[in-house]
Amino acid sequence: MRKIKFKDKSTSQYQTYIDIGACEKHYDFLPLYEEEVITYYNWYLDFIKYPLGVQMLTLHYYLLQFNSDSFIPKTLYKKILEKIDILNRFNKTWFEDDAPFFKGLDLNWEGINDEITQKIENKESVISEIFFKDGSSLCFLDEDDTIQSFYVKEIEYEKLNQEFSAILEIFK
């Protein structure tokens, strides 16, 4: 589990965040279920291997489709319909209503590198700390200096993980 330290522009203290992963916020990049290509069971087995952030984005996409009466594969539609209130509640906790914007620490957007004003690197050119135009900063705690991802506060991670594990059971 990858951790970073992040300090918002409004605070002087760094907080620990957990990287939950992310992918491009476009349906072409999401691990969507295609009835004509794969069985639901095999899709589910593949789906649970993705990082939590990718799974959450996929669920968010399907809930946007469900709530707008767009097409959703029949098996998936039935599972969502059975627990729609629970799924919508989870979705509203972590995402903006009509957009794929994550309510945790969302650094998963194109152009994030344009917001960097300063980088501190080691001799191997691995970034250890970055400073953003808005006054916030991020410290990497390992050799992975990937910025683009979704992050949740460490103190919220266990609850999120447990809640999403229960959601995965809905789709089993």
Side-chain angles (χ1 to χ4, degrees):
M1 166 178 4
R2 179 173 175 245
K3 295 180 181 184
I4 63 163
K5 296 277 188 181
F6 182 78
K7 180 175 69 87
D8 191 87
K9 63 183 175 195
S10 62
T11 65
S12 61
Q13 296 279 331
Y14 279 93
Q15 288 192 311
T16 303
Y17 282 78
I18 306 293
D19 180 350
I20 62 169
C23 66
E24 183 70 35
K25 295 176 186 176
H26 188 276
Y27 70 90
D28 284 341
F29 296 94
L30 297 173
L32 301 177
Y33 171 50
E34 298 177 58
E35 290 176 300
E36 62 280 350
V37 175
I38 191 170
T39 66
Y40 181 82
Y41 177 74
N42 286 335
W43 170 80
Y44 178 81
L45 291 177
D46 288 342
F47 180 71
I48 60 176
K49 294 176 188 173
Y50 282 91
L52 178 58
V54 175
Q55 293 171 351
M56 289 173 65
L57 259 177
T58 304
L59 172 64
H60 180 68
Y61 169 80
Y62 277 127
L63 290 174
L64 288 175
Q65 298 305 306
F66 185 89
N67 292 327
S68 68
D69 295 325
S70 295
F71 172 77
I72 297 177
K74 189 174 12 176
T75 305
L76 203 51
Y77 183 88
K78 288 178 184 176
K79 290 181 180 287
I80 291 171
L81 184 61
E82 289 175 10
K83 303 290 184 173
I84 190 64
D85 292 338
I86 294 168
L87 297 171
N88 276 336
R89 194 168 32 256
F90 178 85
N91 199 43
K92 286 180 189 233
T93 300
W94 291 102
F95 287 93
E96 298 296 328
D97 286 337
D98 297 325
F101 301 125
F102 183 63
K103 288 183 180 177
L105 177 57
D106 185 348
L107 299 180
N108 185 43
W109 43 282
E110 232 178 277
I112 187 75
N113 288 321
D114 297 336
E115 296 302 310
I116 297 172
T117 58
Q118 181 184 359
K119 295 179 186 178
I120 298 175
E121 300 178 24
N122 66 16
K123 292 177 186 175
E124 292 81 32
S125 298
V126 175
I127 303 168
S128 61
E129 191 169 4
I130 58 174
F131 299 89
F132 295 101
K133 289 178 183 176
D134 71 357
S136 61
S137 59
L138 185 151
C139 294
F140 297 104
L141 302 177
D142 59 15
E143 296 288 306
D144 185 350
D145 60 8
T146 305
I147 299 169
Q148 275 187 274
S149 198
F150 292 151
Y151 302 89
V152 294
K153 290 179 182 175
E154 185 175 40
I155 59 174
E156 297 174 341
Y157 176 75
E158 194 56 42
K159 182 179 182 216
L160 168 63
N161 202 30
Q162 288 174 352
E163 286 178 4
F164 204 78
S165 291
I167 285 172
L168 286 177
E169 286 296 313
I170 292 169
F171 292 101
K172 208 171 202 179

PDB file of all heavy atoms in Angstrom, residues 91-126:
ATOM      1  N   ASN A  91     -21.625   6.235  -3.568  1.00  0.00           N
ATOM      2  CA  ASN A  91     -21.189   7.062  -4.689  1.00  0.00           C
ATOM      3  C   ASN A  91     -21.199   8.548  -4.327  1.00  0.00           C
ATOM      4  O   ASN A  91     -20.262   9.281  -4.631  1.00  0.00           O
ATOM      5  CB  ASN A  91     -22.103   6.790  -5.888  1.00  0.00           C
ATOM      6  CG  ASN A  91     -21.506   7.225  -7.191  1.00  0.00           C
ATOM      7  OD1 ASN A  91     -20.339   7.010  -7.455  1.00  0.00           O
ATOM      8  ND2 ASN A  91     -22.313   7.848  -8.011  1.00  0.00           N
ATOM      9  N   LYS A  92     -22.241   8.998  -3.653  1.00  0.00           N
ATOM     10  CA  LYS A  92     -22.343  10.419  -3.274  1.00  0.00           C
ATOM     11  C   LYS A  92     -21.310  10.787  -2.211  1.00  0.00           C
ATOM     12  O   LYS A  92     -20.902  11.937  -2.117  1.00  0.00           O
ATOM     13  CB  LYS A  92     -23.753  10.736  -2.774  1.00  0.00           C
ATOM     14  CG  LYS A  92     -24.756  10.787  -3.883  1.00  0.00           C
ATOM     15  CD  LYS A  92     -26.137  11.096  -3.372  1.00  0.00           C
ATOM     16  CE  LYS A  92     -27.120  10.908  -4.482  1.00  0.00           C
ATOM     17  NZ  LYS A  92     -27.978  11.988  -4.738  1.00  0.00           N
ATOM     18  N   THR A  93     -20.891   9.813  -1.438  1.00  0.00           N
ATOM     19  CA  THR A  93     -19.857  10.069  -0.438  1.00  0.00           C
ATOM     20  C   THR A  93     -18.519  10.358  -1.099  1.00  0.00           C
ATOM     21  O   THR A  93     -17.779  11.228  -0.643  1.00  0.00           O
ATOM     22  CB  THR A  93     -19.712   8.856   0.509  1.00  0.00           C
ATOM     23  OG1 THR A  93     -20.954   8.632   1.160  1.00  0.00           O
ATOM     24  CG2 THR A  93     -18.622   9.080   1.540  1.00  0.00           C
ATOM     25  N   TRP A  94     -18.210   9.664  -2.197  1.00  0.00           N
ATOM     26  CA  TRP A  94     -16.873   9.719  -2.771  1.00  0.00           C
ATOM     27  C   TRP A  94     -16.741  10.435  -4.101  1.00  0.00           C
ATOM     28  O   TRP A  94     -15.623  10.731  -4.543  1.00  0.00           O
ATOM     29  CB  TRP A  94     -16.306   8.301  -2.883  1.00  0.00           C
ATOM     30  CG  TRP A  94     -16.027   7.750  -1.530  1.00  0.00           C
ATOM     31  CD1 TRP A  94     -16.788   6.860  -0.829  1.00  0.00           C
ATOM     32  CD2 TRP A  94     -14.946   8.101  -0.676  1.00  0.00           C
ATOM     33  NE1 TRP A  94     -16.232   6.624   0.402  1.00  0.00           N
ATOM     34  CE2 TRP A  94     -15.093   7.371   0.528  1.00  0.00           C
ATOM     35  CE3 TRP A  94     -13.856   8.962  -0.792  1.00  0.00           C
ATOM     36  CZ2 TRP A  94     -14.197   7.484   1.586  1.00  0.00           C
ATOM     37  CZ3 TRP A  94     -12.958   9.054   0.259  1.00  0.00           C
ATOM     38  CH2 TRP A  94     -13.141   8.319   1.419  1.00  0.00           C
ATOM     39  N   PHE A  95     -17.874  10.726  -4.782  1.00  0.00           N
ATOM     40  CA  PHE A  95     -17.789  11.381  -6.088  1.00  0.00           C
ATOM     41  C   PHE A  95     -18.798  12.520  -6.189  1.00  0.00           C
ATOM     42  O   PHE A  95     -19.847  12.493  -5.558  1.00  0.00           O
ATOM     43  CB  PHE A  95     -18.078  10.384  -7.228  1.00  0.00           C
ATOM     44  CG  PHE A  95     -16.971   9.415  -7.469  1.00  0.00           C
ATOM     45  CD1 PHE A  95     -16.965   8.182  -6.849  1.00  0.00           C
ATOM     46  CD2 PHE A  95     -15.926   9.729  -8.322  1.00  0.00           C
ATOM     47  CE1 PHE A  95     -15.932   7.272  -7.065  1.00  0.00           C
ATOM     48  CE2 PHE A  95     -14.894   8.838  -8.540  1.00  0.00           C
ATOM     49  CZ  PHE A  95     -14.895   7.610  -7.913  1.00  0.00           C
ATOM     50  N   GLU A  96     -18.471  13.494  -7.034  1.00  0.00           N
ATOM     51  CA  GLU A  96     -19.425  14.543  -7.376  1.00  0.00           C
ATOM     52  C   GLU A  96     -20.594  13.883  -8.095  1.00  0.00           C
ATOM     53  O   GLU A  96     -20.417  12.888  -8.798  1.00  0.00           O
ATOM     54  CB  GLU A  96     -18.773  15.600  -8.266  1.00  0.00           C
ATOM     55  CG  GLU A  96     -17.609  16.326  -7.624  1.00  0.00           C
ATOM     56  CD  GLU A  96     -18.003  17.156  -6.411  1.00  0.00           C
ATOM     57  OE1 GLU A  96     -19.136  17.677  -6.389  1.00  0.00           O
ATOM     58  OE2 GLU A  96     -17.190  17.272  -5.496  1.00  0.00           O
ATOM     59  N   ASP A  97     -21.774  14.452  -7.955  1.00  0.00           N
ATOM     60  CA  ASP A  97     -22.979  13.811  -8.490  1.00  0.00           C
ATOM     61  C   ASP A  97     -22.938  13.504  -9.978  1.00  0.00           C
ATOM     62  O   ASP A  97     -23.262  12.406 -10.389  1.00  0.00           O
ATOM     63  CB  ASP A  97     -24.221  14.666  -8.183  1.00  0.00           C
ATOM     64  CG  ASP A  97     -24.618  14.581  -6.724  1.00  0.00           C
ATOM     65  OD1 ASP A  97     -24.263  13.587  -6.058  1.00  0.00           O
ATOM     66  OD2 ASP A  97     -25.281  15.517  -6.248  1.00  0.00           O
ATOM     67  N   ASP A  98     -22.594  14.471 -10.803  1.00  0.00           N
ATOM     68  CA  ASP A  98     -22.713  14.298 -12.250  1.00  0.00           C
ATOM     69  C   ASP A  98     -21.381  14.282 -12.984  1.00  0.00           C
ATOM     70  O   ASP A  98     -21.354  14.470 -14.195  1.00  0.00           O
ATOM     71  CB  ASP A  98     -23.589  15.411 -12.826  1.00  0.00           C
ATOM     72  CG  ASP A  98     -24.998  15.359 -12.277  1.00  0.00           C
ATOM     73  OD1 ASP A  98     -25.496  14.247 -12.033  1.00  0.00           O
ATOM     74  OD2 ASP A  98     -25.599  16.434 -12.070  1.00  0.00           O
ATOM     75  N   ALA A  99     -20.309  14.072 -12.278  1.00  0.00           N
ATOM     76  CA  ALA A  99     -18.992  14.102 -12.922  1.00  0.00           C
ATOM     77  C   ALA A  99     -18.066  13.104 -12.234  1.00  0.00           C
ATOM     78  O   ALA A  99     -18.293  12.732 -11.092  1.00  0.00           O
ATOM     79  CB  ALA A  99     -18.413  15.510 -12.828  1.00  0.00           C
ATOM     80  N   PRO A 100     -17.017  12.684 -12.917  1.00  0.00           N
ATOM     81  CA  PRO A 100     -16.102  11.706 -12.322  1.00  0.00           C
ATOM     82  C   PRO A 100     -15.047  12.339 -11.414  1.00  0.00           C
ATOM     83  O   PRO A 100     -13.891  11.953 -11.432  1.00  0.00           O
ATOM     84  CB  PRO A 100     -15.464  11.049 -13.545  1.00  0.00           C
ATOM     85  CG  PRO A 100     -15.454  12.127 -14.566  1.00  0.00           C
ATOM     86  CD  PRO A 100     -16.703  12.937 -14.317  1.00  0.00           C
ATOM     87  N   PHE A 101     -15.450  13.329 -10.621  1.00  0.00           N
ATOM     88  CA  PHE A 101     -14.504  13.990  -9.737  1.00  0.00           C
ATOM     89  C   PHE A 101     -14.557  13.344  -8.367  1.00  0.00           C
ATOM     90  O   PHE A 101     -15.591  13.327  -7.701  1.00  0.00           O
ATOM     91  CB  PHE A 101     -14.792  15.487  -9.645  1.00  0.00           C
ATOM     92  CG  PHE A 101     -14.719  16.176 -10.978  1.00  0.00           C
ATOM     93  CD1 PHE A 101     -15.791  16.912 -11.446  1.00  0.00           C
ATOM     94  CD2 PHE A 101     -13.589  16.073 -11.775  1.00  0.00           C
ATOM     95  CE1 PHE A 101     -15.737  17.545 -12.679  1.00  0.00           C
ATOM     96  CE2 PHE A 101     -13.524  16.697 -13.007  1.00  0.00           C
ATOM     97  CZ  PHE A 101     -14.599  17.432 -13.469  1.00  0.00           C
ATOM     98  N   PHE A 102     -13.435  12.831  -7.957  1.00  0.00           N
ATOM     99  CA  PHE A 102     -13.289  12.128  -6.698  1.00  0.00           C
ATOM    100  C   PHE A 102     -13.225  13.149  -5.561  1.00  0.00           C
ATOM    101  O   PHE A 102     -12.522  14.146  -5.656  1.00  0.00           O
ATOM    102  CB  PHE A 102     -11.997  11.304  -6.754  1.00  0.00           C
ATOM    103  CG  PHE A 102     -11.729  10.466  -5.560  1.00  0.00           C
ATOM    104  CD1 PHE A 102     -12.587   9.444  -5.194  1.00  0.00           C
ATOM    105  CD2 PHE A 102     -10.592  10.684  -4.794  1.00  0.00           C
ATOM    106  CE1 PHE A 102     -12.318   8.648  -4.090  1.00  0.00           C
ATOM    107  CE2 PHE A 102     -10.316   9.896  -3.695  1.00  0.00           C
ATOM    108  CZ  PHE A 102     -11.183   8.873  -3.339  1.00  0.00           C
ATOM    109  N   LYS A 103     -13.945  12.884  -4.469  1.00  0.00           N
ATOM    110  CA  LYS A 103     -14.007  13.832  -3.357  1.00  0.00           C
ATOM    111  C   LYS A 103     -12.862  13.678  -2.367  1.00  0.00           C
ATOM    112  O   LYS A 103     -12.698  14.523  -1.498  1.00  0.00           O
ATOM    113  CB  LYS A 103     -15.335  13.693  -2.616  1.00  0.00           C
ATOM    114  CG  LYS A 103     -16.529  14.218  -3.388  1.00  0.00           C
ATOM    115  CD  LYS A 103     -17.781  14.107  -2.548  1.00  0.00           C
ATOM    116  CE  LYS A 103     -18.999  14.606  -3.258  1.00  0.00           C
ATOM    117  NZ  LYS A 103     -20.217  14.423  -2.450  1.00  0.00           N
ATOM    118  N   GLY A 104     -12.067  12.625  -2.488  1.00  0.00           N
ATOM    119  CA  GLY A 104     -10.869  12.529  -1.668  1.00  0.00           C
ATOM    120  C   GLY A 104      -9.826  13.463  -2.280  1.00  0.00           C
ATOM    121  O   GLY A 104     -10.159  14.500  -2.851  1.00  0.00           O
ATOM    122  N   LEU A 105      -8.583  13.109  -2.189  1.00  0.00           N
ATOM    123  CA  LEU A 105      -7.523  13.888  -2.833  1.00  0.00           C
ATOM    124  C   LEU A 105      -7.415  13.393  -4.270  1.00  0.00           C
ATOM    125  O   LEU A 105      -6.927  12.297  -4.528  1.00  0.00           O
ATOM    126  CB  LEU A 105      -6.204  13.719  -2.077  1.00  0.00           C
ATOM    127  CG  LEU A 105      -4.985  14.419  -2.659  1.00  0.00           C
ATOM    128  CD1 LEU A 105      -5.230  15.923  -2.798  1.00  0.00           C
ATOM    129  CD2 LEU A 105      -3.770  14.157  -1.791  1.00  0.00           C
ATOM    130  N   ASP A 106      -7.911  14.183  -5.196  1.00  0.00           N
ATOM    131  CA  ASP A 106      -7.952  13.807  -6.607  1.00  0.00           C
ATOM    132  C   ASP A 106      -6.833  14.530  -7.343  1.00  0.00           C
ATOM    133  O   ASP A 106      -6.935  15.714  -7.660  1.00  0.00           O
ATOM    134  CB  ASP A 106      -9.313  14.170  -7.201  1.00  0.00           C
ATOM    135  CG  ASP A 106      -9.488  13.699  -8.640  1.00  0.00           C
ATOM    136  OD1 ASP A 106      -8.495  13.285  -9.267  1.00  0.00           O
ATOM    137  OD2 ASP A 106     -10.634  13.762  -9.128  1.00  0.00           O
ATOM    138  N   LEU A 107      -5.769  13.813  -7.602  1.00  0.00           N
ATOM    139  CA  LEU A 107      -4.670  14.354  -8.410  1.00  0.00           C
ATOM    140  C   LEU A 107      -4.622  13.627  -9.751  1.00  0.00           C
ATOM    141  O   LEU A 107      -3.604  13.619 -10.432  1.00  0.00           O
ATOM    142  CB  LEU A 107      -3.335  14.209  -7.660  1.00  0.00           C
ATOM    143  CG  LEU A 107      -3.246  14.934  -6.322  1.00  0.00           C
ATOM    144  CD1 LEU A 107      -1.889  14.710  -5.676  1.00  0.00           C
ATOM    145  CD2 LEU A 107      -3.530  16.420  -6.470  1.00  0.00           C
ATOM    146  N   ASN A 108      -5.737  13.021 -10.122  1.00  0.00           N
ATOM    147  CA  ASN A 108      -5.835  12.229 -11.333  1.00  0.00           C
ATOM    148  C   ASN A 108      -6.455  13.051 -12.466  1.00  0.00           C
ATOM    149  O   ASN A 108      -7.554  12.800 -12.904  1.00  0.00           O
ATOM    150  CB  ASN A 108      -6.691  10.978 -11.074  1.00  0.00           C
ATOM    151  CG  ASN A 108      -6.720  10.065 -12.272  1.00  0.00           C
ATOM    152  OD1 ASN A 108      -5.709   9.831 -12.900  1.00  0.00           O
ATOM    153  ND2 ASN A 108      -7.891   9.555 -12.595  1.00  0.00           N
ATOM    154  N   TRP A 109      -5.726  14.067 -12.897  1.00  0.00           N
ATOM    155  CA  TRP A 109      -6.223  14.862 -14.002  1.00  0.00           C
ATOM    156  C   TRP A 109      -5.079  15.309 -14.897  1.00  0.00           C
ATOM    157  O   TRP A 109      -3.948  15.483 -14.456  1.00  0.00           O
ATOM    158  CB  TRP A 109      -7.061  16.047 -13.534  1.00  0.00           C
ATOM    159  CG  TRP A 109      -6.534  16.813 -12.364  1.00  0.00           C
ATOM    160  CD1 TRP A 109      -6.610  16.460 -11.054  1.00  0.00           C
ATOM    161  CD2 TRP A 109      -5.845  18.060 -12.400  1.00  0.00           C
ATOM    162  NE1 TRP A 109      -6.012  17.416 -10.275  1.00  0.00           N
ATOM    163  CE2 TRP A 109      -5.537  18.415 -11.073  1.00  0.00           C
ATOM    164  CE3 TRP A 109      -5.464  18.927 -13.421  1.00  0.00           C
ATOM    165  CZ2 TRP A 109      -4.869  19.575 -10.746  1.00  0.00           C
ATOM    166  CZ3 TRP A 109      -4.793  20.090 -13.093  1.00  0.00           C
ATOM    167  CH2 TRP A 109      -4.514  20.397 -11.760  1.00  0.00           C
ATOM    168  N   GLU A 110      -5.449  15.417 -16.173  1.00  0.00           N
ATOM    169  CA  GLU A 110      -4.479  15.864 -17.155  1.00  0.00           C
ATOM    170  C   GLU A 110      -4.023  17.265 -16.799  1.00  0.00           C
ATOM    171  O   GLU A 110      -4.801  18.091 -16.356  1.00  0.00           O
ATOM    172  CB  GLU A 110      -5.154  15.902 -18.533  1.00  0.00           C
ATOM    173  CG  GLU A 110      -4.396  15.155 -19.582  1.00  0.00           C
ATOM    174  CD  GLU A 110      -5.129  15.177 -20.892  1.00  0.00           C
ATOM    175  OE1 GLU A 110      -6.028  14.330 -21.048  1.00  0.00           O
ATOM    176  OE2 GLU A 110      -4.800  16.041 -21.728  1.00  0.00           O
ATOM    177  N   GLY A 111      -2.774  17.538 -16.954  1.00  0.00           N
ATOM    178  CA  GLY A 111      -2.263  18.870 -16.672  1.00  0.00           C
ATOM    179  C   GLY A 111      -1.816  19.074 -15.237  1.00  0.00           C
ATOM    180  O   GLY A 111      -1.418  20.178 -14.876  1.00  0.00           O
ATOM    181  N   ILE A 112      -1.872  18.032 -14.411  1.00  0.00           N
ATOM    182  CA  ILE A 112      -1.436  18.176 -13.011  1.00  0.00           C
ATOM    183  C   ILE A 112       0.022  18.633 -12.959  1.00  0.00           C
ATOM    184  O   ILE A 112       0.395  19.432 -12.106  1.00  0.00           O
ATOM    185  CB  ILE A 112      -1.656  16.872 -12.193  1.00  0.00           C
ATOM    186  CG1 ILE A 112      -1.353  17.068 -10.702  1.00  0.00           C
ATOM    187  CG2 ILE A 112      -0.825  15.734 -12.716  1.00  0.00           C
ATOM    188  CD1 ILE A 112      -2.380  17.819  -9.943  1.00  0.00           C
ATOM    189  N   ASN A 113       0.827  18.167 -13.894  1.00  0.00           N
ATOM    190  CA  ASN A 113       2.251  18.547 -13.899  1.00  0.00           C
ATOM    191  C   ASN A 113       2.441  20.034 -14.185  1.00  0.00           C
ATOM    192  O   ASN A 113       3.439  20.625 -13.773  1.00  0.00           O
ATOM    193  CB  ASN A 113       3.031  17.698 -14.901  1.00  0.00           C
ATOM    194  CG  ASN A 113       3.187  16.282 -14.408  1.00  0.00           C
ATOM    195  OD1 ASN A 113       3.400  16.041 -13.220  1.00  0.00           O
ATOM    196  ND2 ASN A 113       3.050  15.321 -15.309  1.00  0.00           N
ATOM    197  N   ASP A 114       1.474  20.651 -14.867  1.00  0.00           N
ATOM    198  CA  ASP A 114       1.551  22.093 -15.137  1.00  0.00           C
ATOM    199  C   ASP A 114       1.332  22.921 -13.877  1.00  0.00           C
ATOM    200  O   ASP A 114       1.622  24.122 -13.867  1.00  0.00           O
ATOM    201  CB  ASP A 114       0.512  22.501 -16.185  1.00  0.00           C
ATOM    202  CG  ASP A 114       0.765  21.840 -17.534  1.00  0.00           C
ATOM    203  OD1 ASP A 114       1.924  21.458 -17.807  1.00  0.00           O
ATOM    204  OD2 ASP A 114      -0.208  21.699 -18.305  1.00  0.00           O
ATOM    205  N   GLU A 115       0.817  22.307 -12.829  1.00  0.00           N
ATOM    206  CA  GLU A 115       0.537  23.006 -11.574  1.00  0.00           C
ATOM    207  C   GLU A 115       1.722  22.984 -10.609  1.00  0.00           C
ATOM    208  O   GLU A 115       1.681  23.596  -9.552  1.00  0.00           O
ATOM    209  CB  GLU A 115      -0.692  22.394 -10.890  1.00  0.00           C
ATOM    210  CG  GLU A 115      -1.963  22.556 -11.698  1.00  0.00           C
ATOM    211  CD  GLU A 115      -2.287  24.011 -11.992  1.00  0.00           C
ATOM    212  OE1 GLU A 115      -2.283  24.823 -11.052  1.00  0.00           O
ATOM    213  OE2 GLU A 115      -2.556  24.327 -13.170  1.00  0.00           O
ATOM    214  N   ILE A 116       2.778  22.276 -10.977  1.00  0.00           N
ATOM    215  CA  ILE A 116       3.956  22.152 -10.118  1.00  0.00           C
ATOM    216  C   ILE A 116       4.848  23.376 -10.271  1.00  0.00           C
ATOM    217  O   ILE A 116       5.180  23.785 -11.387  1.00  0.00           O
ATOM    218  CB  ILE A 116       4.744  20.870 -10.452  1.00  0.00           C
ATOM    219  CG1 ILE A 116       3.880  19.648 -10.168  1.00  0.00           C
ATOM    220  CG2 ILE A 116       6.049  20.806  -9.673  1.00  0.00           C
ATOM    221  CD1 ILE A 116       4.476  18.331 -10.636  1.00  0.00           C
ATOM    222  N   THR A 117       5.239  23.952  -9.128  1.00  0.00           N
ATOM    223  CA  THR A 117       6.148  25.103  -9.167  1.00  0.00           C
ATOM    224  C   THR A 117       7.575  24.711  -8.828  1.00  0.00           C
ATOM    225  O   THR A 117       8.512  25.377  -9.247  1.00  0.00           O
ATOM    226  CB  THR A 117       5.699  26.197  -8.175  1.00  0.00           C
ATOM    227  OG1 THR A 117       5.654  25.647  -6.858  1.00  0.00           O
ATOM    228  CG2 THR A 117       4.346  26.759  -8.562  1.00  0.00           C
ATOM    229  N   GLN A 118       7.726  23.617  -8.056  1.00  0.00           N
ATOM    230  CA  GLN A 118       9.069  23.198  -7.648  1.00  0.00           C
ATOM    231  C   GLN A 118       9.073  21.703  -7.360  1.00  0.00           C
ATOM    232  O   GLN A 118       8.096  21.152  -6.852  1.00  0.00           O
ATOM    233  CB  GLN A 118       9.499  23.957  -6.384  1.00  0.00           C
ATOM    234  CG  GLN A 118      10.885  23.611  -5.908  1.00  0.00           C
ATOM    235  CD  GLN A 118      11.225  24.303  -4.597  1.00  0.00           C
ATOM    236  OE1 GLN A 118      10.435  25.059  -4.038  1.00  0.00           O
ATOM    237  NE2 GLN A 118      12.409  24.032  -4.094  1.00  0.00           N
ATOM    238  N   LYS A 119      10.205  21.068  -7.700  1.00  0.00           N
ATOM    239  CA  LYS A 119      10.399  19.648  -7.403  1.00  0.00           C
ATOM    240  C   LYS A 119      11.721  19.489  -6.661  1.00  0.00           C
ATOM    241  O   LYS A 119      12.706  20.142  -6.995  1.00  0.00           O
ATOM    242  CB  LYS A 119      10.518  18.814  -8.684  1.00  0.00           C
ATOM    243  CG  LYS A 119       9.307  18.775  -9.547  1.00  0.00           C
ATOM    244  CD  LYS A 119       9.582  17.930 -10.787  1.00  0.00           C
ATOM    245  CE  LYS A 119       8.429  17.974 -11.751  1.00  0.00           C
ATOM    246  NZ  LYS A 119       8.708  17.195 -12.965  1.00  0.00           N
ATOM    247  N   ILE A 120      11.726  18.616  -5.684  1.00  0.00           N
ATOM    248  CA  ILE A 120      12.972  18.244  -5.013  1.00  0.00           C
ATOM    249  C   ILE A 120      13.262  16.810  -5.408  1.00  0.00           C
ATOM    250  O   ILE A 120      12.434  15.916  -5.198  1.00  0.00           O
ATOM    251  CB  ILE A 120      12.858  18.400  -3.477  1.00  0.00           C
ATOM    252  CG1 ILE A 120      12.578  19.864  -3.137  1.00  0.00           C
ATOM    253  CG2 ILE A 120      14.114  17.883  -2.792  1.00  0.00           C
ATOM    254  CD1 ILE A 120      12.320  20.128  -1.666  1.00  0.00           C
ATOM    255  N   GLU A 121      14.431  16.593  -5.999  1.00  0.00           N
ATOM    256  CA  GLU A 121      14.795  15.271  -6.506  1.00  0.00           C
ATOM    257  C   GLU A 121      16.083  14.783  -5.856  1.00  0.00           C
ATOM    258  O   GLU A 121      16.920  15.575  -5.442  1.00  0.00           O
ATOM    259  CB  GLU A 121      15.007  15.319  -8.022  1.00  0.00           C
ATOM    260  CG  GLU A 121      13.787  15.753  -8.796  1.00  0.00           C
ATOM    261  CD  GLU A 121      14.040  15.826 -10.300  1.00  0.00           C
ATOM    262  OE1 GLU A 121      14.957  15.141 -10.803  1.00  0.00           O
ATOM    263  OE2 GLU A 121      13.319  16.569 -10.978  1.00  0.00           O
ATOM    264  N   ASN A 122      16.252  13.458  -5.829  1.00  0.00           N
ATOM    265  CA  ASN A 122      17.507  12.889  -5.339  1.00  0.00           C
ATOM    266  C   ASN A 122      18.484  12.719  -6.507  1.00  0.00           C
ATOM    267  O   ASN A 122      18.179  13.112  -7.637  1.00  0.00           O
ATOM    268  CB  ASN A 122      17.265  11.581  -4.575  1.00  0.00           C
ATOM    269  CG  ASN A 122      16.747  10.462  -5.461  1.00  0.00           C
ATOM    270  OD1 ASN A 122      16.826  10.507  -6.689  1.00  0.00           O
ATOM    271  ND2 ASN A 122      16.213   9.430  -4.830  1.00  0.00           N
ATOM    272  N   LYS A 123      19.636  12.105  -6.262  1.00  0.00           N
ATOM    273  CA  LYS A 123      20.665  11.949  -7.290  1.00  0.00           C
ATOM    274  C   LYS A 123      20.208  11.089  -8.461  1.00  0.00           C
ATOM    275  O   LYS A 123      20.704  11.230  -9.574  1.00  0.00           O
ATOM    276  CB  LYS A 123      21.924  11.331  -6.677  1.00  0.00           C
ATOM    277  CG  LYS A 123      22.626  12.244  -5.715  1.00  0.00           C
ATOM    278  CD  LYS A 123      23.820  11.561  -5.085  1.00  0.00           C
ATOM    279  CE  LYS A 123      24.421  12.460  -4.017  1.00  0.00           C
ATOM    280  NZ  LYS A 123      25.502  11.801  -3.293  1.00  0.00           N
ATOM    281  N   GLU A 124      19.249  10.192  -8.206  1.00  0.00           N
ATOM    282  CA  GLU A 124      18.726   9.315  -9.257  1.00  0.00           C
ATOM    283  C   GLU A 124      17.533   9.945  -9.987  1.00  0.00           C
ATOM    284  O   GLU A 124      16.837   9.272 -10.732  1.00  0.00           O
ATOM    285  CB  GLU A 124      18.300   7.963  -8.672  1.00  0.00           C
ATOM    286  CG  GLU A 124      19.446   7.102  -8.171  1.00  0.00           C
ATOM    287  CD  GLU A 124      19.921   7.519  -6.777  1.00  0.00           C
ATOM    288  OE1 GLU A 124      19.091   7.983  -5.961  1.00  0.00           O
ATOM    289  OE2 GLU A 124      21.134   7.393  -6.528  1.00  0.00           O
ATOM    290  N   SER A 125      17.270  11.216  -9.747  1.00  0.00           N
ATOM    291  CA  SER A 125      16.158  11.973 -10.354  1.00  0.00           C
ATOM    292  C   SER A 125      14.783  11.486  -9.915  1.00  0.00           C
ATOM    293  O   SER A 125      13.792  11.686 -10.604  1.00  0.00           O
ATOM    294  CB  SER A 125      16.253  11.952 -11.881  1.00  0.00           C
ATOM    295  OG  SER A 125      17.433  12.563 -12.296  1.00  0.00           O
ATOM    296  N   VAL A 126      14.722  10.835  -8.749  1.00  0.00           N
ATOM    297  CA  VAL A 126      13.435  10.449  -8.179  1.00  0.00           C
ATOM    298  C   VAL A 126      12.953  11.626  -7.341  1.00  0.00           C
ATOM    299  O   VAL A 126      13.677  12.129  -6.487  1.00  0.00           O
ATOM    300  CB  VAL A 126      13.558   9.170  -7.314  1.00  0.00           C
ATOM    301  CG1 VAL A 126      12.239   8.847  -6.625  1.00  0.00           C
ATOM    302  CG2 VAL A 126      14.032   7.998  -8.158  1.00  0.00           C
TER     303      VAL A 126
END
